[in-house]
Amino acid sequence: SITKTSIRSLLESTLPPPLKGLLKIAAQQAEARGWQLYLVGGAVRDLLLAQSQVHFREFDLVVDSGGTSDLQGAGGELARSIAEDFPEAQLQIYGEFQTAALIWHDESHLGPFSMDIATARSEFYPYPAANPEISVSSIRQDLYRRDFSINALAVRLTGHQNSPQQRGELLDFFGGVEDLEQKLIRVLHPNSFIEDPTRIFRAIRFASRLGFSLDEQTKIYLQTAIASGIYQQTEGNHHKAPALQSRLRNELKYIVQEVHWLRALALIQDLGAWCCIHPDLAMPPSSLRAIKMAARWLEALNPEPGDRRWPIILEVLLLQLPESARLKVAQKLQLPEGSQMRLGQFQALVQRCSDQLQGHPSPSRVVKTLRPYSPELIILGAVCVSVSVRAILWRYLQIWQHVQPMINGATLIEMGYRPGKKFRAMLDFILDATLDGQVSDPASAQQMVRQRFD
Ligand code: ATP
């Protein structure tokens, strides 16, 4: 059980040696200044949950100097001194937030990896921060500002001359360990979701990723926050709205990038949280079917859709809204330009499909109809057209869009034609004939060109 496991031995057994070395150097640099240094957030959670080796991509550290560092903050000073031992790391210092980051890129031996160092906002006290009785209040405050108990755990990395046993001590002020054991997502105070609505989606993301439930009281806070009008908070007239919208967009993106993303979308629906994005938004069974279909089509098109999936999935969800609302939401959420373009072109594509692709259109006609549109937009269209048109779109994406004319421009030149305006028409003519199965080999294609254009 987690309570019986010493976090110290977990750090020892779970962290790869280079990361252990990094934490050791960071702790030594902090100790040399009489500061306290803590590992906080996701890394502590994942360490405690770890069955075996975890692949860490990020450490969040909090340094507490007891107010003794300069204006730029202890985080900046500490990061700079750590960077001296890691010349390959990129150092970023944000003086105004008193935070800093060290970033190792793909090619370095730690990379890709980043380590954020925040400065605990502590009062100045007339004792060195290394005096643990006093310093604990500022790390506690720092952790209290966090989202969930399981993300508000800290490990003290520094020791103190008189009490070296504190090194590796787990700080659990809010029952995080118990919640990890009970598999619960719990906020730290009733106003948490109202204070920061992105936490609604973070709660859902962690619950579905870890297979956890929302603590009952937390669920009530969440639903109260939604009922109190999160959507209005995100509306344009509030000065914080654009930043909030872009953070909401990021959380939705992270959700769709999760392995268990469909589970997460269902949880958003169960909790009634879609209305934070738009009052009329929901995920009825028809939307869920459309989303699953779009995901399958995307995967068929590109087995590693990577970052391409999340915008399309959100676009499919928005299709249930009237056109003007779709565009408005896409703009407010600051969806990528491609999304906004697709949602703008969507109606025209659907119209064109129903005008041009009824019955049994020839492949060449299908290609002419669909060529102006991107595969992603066609997937979006596919969720809204009739079954027969959908089958045509599928064949276009799988086969017809890739068909090359039986002979190319080089052959036309060999045949004695000179490159010019007519070339385009000739190649289109051959492509149509190839698509429609009217030529089966290059020789007959050449013959057809001569018959038609000579
Ligand atoms: P992941 O494994 O997805 O990176 P993480 O826990 O590291 O999970 P981050 O989004 O990187 O998540 O955030 C790091 C830490 O910062 C969290 O563990 C949490 O303590 C805190 N945090 C992040 N976002 C919020 C928020 N909106 N409100 C409060 N605390 C937050």
Side-chain angles (χ1 to χ4, degrees):
S1 108
I2 291 170
T3 24
K4 299 204 184 86
T5 324
S6 147
I7 186 87
R8 213 169 297 153
S9 63
L10 262 179
L11 279 168
E12 210 35 62
S13 62
T14 315
L15 287 185
L19 292 184
K20 265 187 272 187
L22 173 62
L23 288 185
K24 194 163 178 192
I25 287 171
Q28 283 167 349
Q29 293 291 348
E31 279 172 3
R33 291 167 173 78
W35 296 347
Q36 296 280 1
L37 184 65
Y38 305 90
L39 177 64
V40 300
V44 181
R45 177 196 69 219
D46 292 343
L47 262 174
L48 289 169
L49 282 175
Q51 306 297 327
S52 55
Q53 290 263 322
V54 194
H55 183 67
F56 290 99
R57 282 164 305 151
E58 186 188 18
F59 280 159
D60 286 315
L61 302 183
V62 173
V63 60
D64 179 12
S65 69
T68 60
S69 55
D70 64 13
L71 275 181
Q72 207 182 40
E77 182 178 334
L78 190 62
R80 193 172 288 131
S81 70
I82 298 169
E84 284 172 16
D85 283 358
F86 297 91
E88 75 280 14
Q90 183 193 339
L91 174 66
Q92 293 176 344
I93 295 185
Y94 307 96
E96 74 267 44
F97 304 117
Q98 302 214 349
T99 62
L102 284 164
I103 296 163
W104 286 265
H105 294 286
D106 288 341
E107 59 284 358
S108 71
H109 78 295
L110 278 177
F113 187 80
S114 68
M115 184 164 84
D116 283 7
I117 309 181
T119 310
R121 276 188 241 152
S122 50
E123 302 293 317
F124 176 80
Y125 14 78
Y127 312 96
N131 182 335
E133 286 80 51
I134 294 172
S135 66
V136 106
S137 82
S138 62
I139 182 69
R140 190 180 191 284
Q141 271 177 40
D142 184 284
L143 296 171
Y144 189 60
R145 285 198 304 269
R146 289 168 189 270
D147 45 8
F148 312 115
S149 63
I150 60 165
N151 286 343
L153 290 159
V155 177
R156 194 199 301 271
L157 299 173
T158 40
H160 183 241
Q161 277 168 339
N162 305 326
S163 45
Q165 75 282 7
Q166 288 184 330
R167 196 177 292 127
E169 180 190 8
L170 179 67
L171 302 181
D172 176 13
F173 298 108
F174 312 106
V177 169
E178 196 184 331
D179 287 337
L180 280 177
E181 282 177 329
Q182 307 276 327
K183 298 178 177 281
L184 287 176
I185 307 291
R186 181 197 306 273
V187 286
L188 306 185
H189 52 82
N191 271 333
S192 191
F193 293 114
I194 292 178
E195 211 174 86
D196 180 358
T198 62
R199 290 175 186 161
I200 295 171
F201 294 94
R202 291 178 62 83
I204 290 163
R205 174 155 67 93
F206 289 116
S208 45
R209 182 200 293 177
L210 304 172
F212 281 26
S213 313
L214 264 58
D215 149 70
E216 281 306 314
Q217 189 62 54
T218 294
K219 202 188 266 183
I220 294 172
Y221 295 148
L222 185 150
Q223 283 166 331
T224 312
I226 293 175
S228 80
I230 295 294
Y231 176 70
Q232 282 69 32
Q233 243 193 85
T234 67
E235 279 274 84
N237 36 19
H238 195 282
H239 74 284
K240 284 189 181 154
L244 177 56
Q245 289 277 353
S246 117
R247 289 171 54 238
L248 277 176
R249 191 251 352 266
N250 282 342
E251 289 300 335
L252 290 171
K253 163 176 152 180
Y254 298 147
I255 282 179
V256 182
Q257 287 172 339
E258 290 280 336
V259 177
H260 299 294
W261 63 281
L262 278 167
R263 198 198 276 175
L265 297 192
L267 190 51
I268 299 178
Q269 172 70 9
D270 290 348
L271 292 166
W274 285 120
C275 69
C276 300
I277 310 297
H278 187 280
D280 299 333
L281 199 66
M283 193 178 67
S286 57
S287 277
L288 181 60
R289 271 198 304 277
I291 284 171
K292 286 181 177 169
M293 190 200 113
R296 272 200 312 275
W297 281 44
L298 263 176
E299 216 171 286
L301 211 61
N302 179 353
E304 281 175 53
D307 249 11
R308 284 165 29 152
R309 186 175 66 198
W310 74 270
I312 310 278
I313 298 302
L314 295 183
E315 290 158 37
V316 172
L317 193 78
L318 293 180
L319 290 181
Q320 64 184 277
L321 300 175
E323 191 178 8
S324 60
R326 270 175 221 159
L327 292 171
K328 195 173 144 203
V329 173
Q331 252 167 25
K332 282 204 325 181
L333 279 180
Q334 300 150 56
L335 293 189
E337 223 170 275
S339 288
Q340 304 198 29
M341 244 166 63
R342 282 189 291 273
L343 289 170
Q345 291 179 310
F346 170 79
Q347 221 54 273
L349 169 69
V350 171
Q351 188 60 49
R352 211 168 140 88
C353 287
S354 76
D355 291 348
Q356 304 285 326
L357 303 182
Q358 298 305 332
H360 298 281
S362 64
S364 63
R365 182 189 189 100
V366 175
V367 170
K368 271 203 199 71
T369 307
L370 297 177
R371 205 162 31 194
Y373 305 107
S374 69
E376 284 85 358
L377 177 60
I378 290 170
I379 291 179
L380 210 57
V383 307
C384 288
V385 294
S386 66
V387 176
S388 59
V389 173
R390 186 179 302 158
I392 293 171
L393 298 184
W394 175 257
R395 302 198 73 181
Y396 169 77
L397 289 177
Q398 289 296 314
I399 307 166
W400 295 330
Q401 70 160 336
H402 304 296
V403 171
Q404 295 296 324
M406 190 68 78
I407 53 176
N408 58 20
T411 315
L412 292 180
I413 293 170
E414 280 168 23
M415 289 168 69
Y417 296 108
R418 262 193 282 136
K421 249 197 191 148
K422 226 160 122 193
F423 252 48
R424 184 74 266 152
M426 287 171 153
L427 290 171
D428 280 350
F429 172 72
I430 291 300
L431 177 61
D432 287 357
T434 311
L435 278 162
D436 295 342
Q438 290 157 352
V439 289
S440 47
D441 57 87
S444 63
Q446 291 188 21
Q447 205 179 1
M448 267 181 91
V449 170
R450 290 209 194 285
Q451 269 169 11
R452 171 74 185 258
F453 290 93
D454 283 352

